[in-house]
């Protein structure tokens, strides 16, 4: 087992130990928006806006303890009221940990965020920056637009954005693009 994978398992174990009995305050650094495909109870699929926080810490009094290197969150109304978050924004919220099954086994997430605060360059920003987009579909489409080249490089095919020759040209570059993302350089080329 690699040191990186072992470290990730240890950090995820910290989320497990927190348990889901109580709500806790967490802080993390905003990295970027994304989306995922979910299913309604009756099986129909829909796209749901998400975002990733890095270096997620639990706040315990005056202490901060790292609980995982990253976590994906749903981009709910609690976060949307601050407008589009920017890379490096510090996000603080209360939430409850919950386990779920994934392709890689049992994992943990934080759900039901409340008391959200966002700090940009050390200054708390107010909620008056709410997005003017009103539907989930509009928000997901804007995220696709913002991250177009990233998704194109990973075989997401968007008819509105991508011609067939450009699609195959980007596919040829995939190993190089993957290497850039892996070493955490410029995310979008």
């Amino acid at each position: 087992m690699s040191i990186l994978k072992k470290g990730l398992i240890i950090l995820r174990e910290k989320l497990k130990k927190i348990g889901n009995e109580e709500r806790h305050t967490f802080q993390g650094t905003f990295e970027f928006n994304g989306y995922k495909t979910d299913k309604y109870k009756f099986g129909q699929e829909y796209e749901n806006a998400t975002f990733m926080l890095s270096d997620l810490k639990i706040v315990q009094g005056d202490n901060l303890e790292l609980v995982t290197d990253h976590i994906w969150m749903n981009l709910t109304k609690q976060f949307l009221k601050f407008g589009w978050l920017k890379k490096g924004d510090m996000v603080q919220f209360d939430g409850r940990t919950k386990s779920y099954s994934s392709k890689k086994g049992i994992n943990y997430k934080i759900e039901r965020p409340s008391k959200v605060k966002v700090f940009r360059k050390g200054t708390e920003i107010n909620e008056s920056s709410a997005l003017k987009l009103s539907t989930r579909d509009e928000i997901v489409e804007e995220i696709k637009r913002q991250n177009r080249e990233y998704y194109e490089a990973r075989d997401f095919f968007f008819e509105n954005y991508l011609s067939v020759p450009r699609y195959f040209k980007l596919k040829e570059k995939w190993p190089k693009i993957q290497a850039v993302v892996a070493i955490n350089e410029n995310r979008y080329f």
Side-chain angles (χ1 to χ4, degrees):
M1 180 182 303
S2 74
I3 293 172
L4 182 62
K5 188 172 182 178
K6 186 175 180 181
L8 180 59
I9 290 170
I10 291 169
L11 287 173
R12 293 292 176 165
E13 285 296 315
K14 288 183 180 181
L15 277 175
K16 179 181 179 180
K17 287 179 184 175
I18 291 170
N20 62 2
E21 298 298 317
E22 297 177 20
R23 295 179 63 77
H24 299 278
T25 302
F26 297 93
Q27 285 184 358
T29 304
F30 176 81
E31 292 296 328
F32 52 87
N33 291 307
Y35 75 97
K36 64 181 177 178
T37 302
D38 283 332
K39 288 186 179 182
Y40 292 111
K41 290 179 184 176
F42 49 86
Q44 183 180 2
E45 291 185 346
Y46 66 96
E47 293 173 332
N48 199 10
T50 61
F51 67 97
M52 189 179 93
L53 293 175
S54 64
D55 299 324
L56 187 76
K57 299 173 178 105
I58 187 169
V59 179
Q60 296 174 326
D62 292 336
N63 298 324
L64 297 172
E65 180 184 353
L66 184 68
V67 292
T68 188
D69 65 337
H70 77 281
I71 195 160
W72 284 93
M73 304 278 299
N74 288 328
L75 187 57
T76 63
K77 291 178 185 178
Q78 313 310 339
F79 300 103
L80 289 171
K81 63 187 176 186
F82 295 97
W84 291 113
L85 300 178
K86 296 183 179 179
K87 183 172 175 60
D89 285 352
M90 196 281 293
V91 180
Q92 179 176 302
F93 61 95
D94 289 358
R96 186 182 305 266
T97 61
K98 182 178 180 182
S99 64
Y100 67 95
S101 297
S102 71
K103 293 177 185 175
K104 298 176 184 176
I106 301 296
N107 207 338
Y108 297 89
K109 63 182 178 179
I110 300 173
E111 63 178 15
R112 304 186 186 275
S114 64
K115 300 181 182 176
V116 176
K117 295 180 181 179
V118 177
F119 298 86
R120 187 166 291 145
K121 296 181 180 176
T123 303
E124 187 172 358
I125 61 174
N126 60 33
E127 299 174 11
S128 65
S129 307
L131 295 178
K132 302 209 180 341
L133 304 172
S134 58
T135 68
R136 176 178 47 236
D137 291 339
E138 289 175 325
I139 292 166
V140 169
E141 287 306 312
E142 176 59 21
I143 290 170
K144 287 179 182 180
R145 190 193 65 68
Q146 290 172 2
N147 300 338
R148 186 177 108 207
E149 295 209 4
Y150 176 81
Y151 290 129
E152 288 172 358
R154 284 156 179 77
D155 291 339
F156 288 80
F157 193 90
F158 304 128
E159 294 174 7
N160 297 339
Y161 303 135
L162 190 58
S163 67
V164 172
R166 180 157 163 67
Y167 170 75
F168 288 107
K169 186 176 178 183
L170 280 169
K171 268 189 89 167
E172 292 170 7
K173 293 182 185 177
W174 169 235
K176 180 180 175 188
I177 292 166
Q178 188 178 28
V180 167
V181 171
I183 60 174
N184 201 20
E185 288 186 1
N186 186 353
R187 178 167 165 65
Y188 304 111
F189 305 95

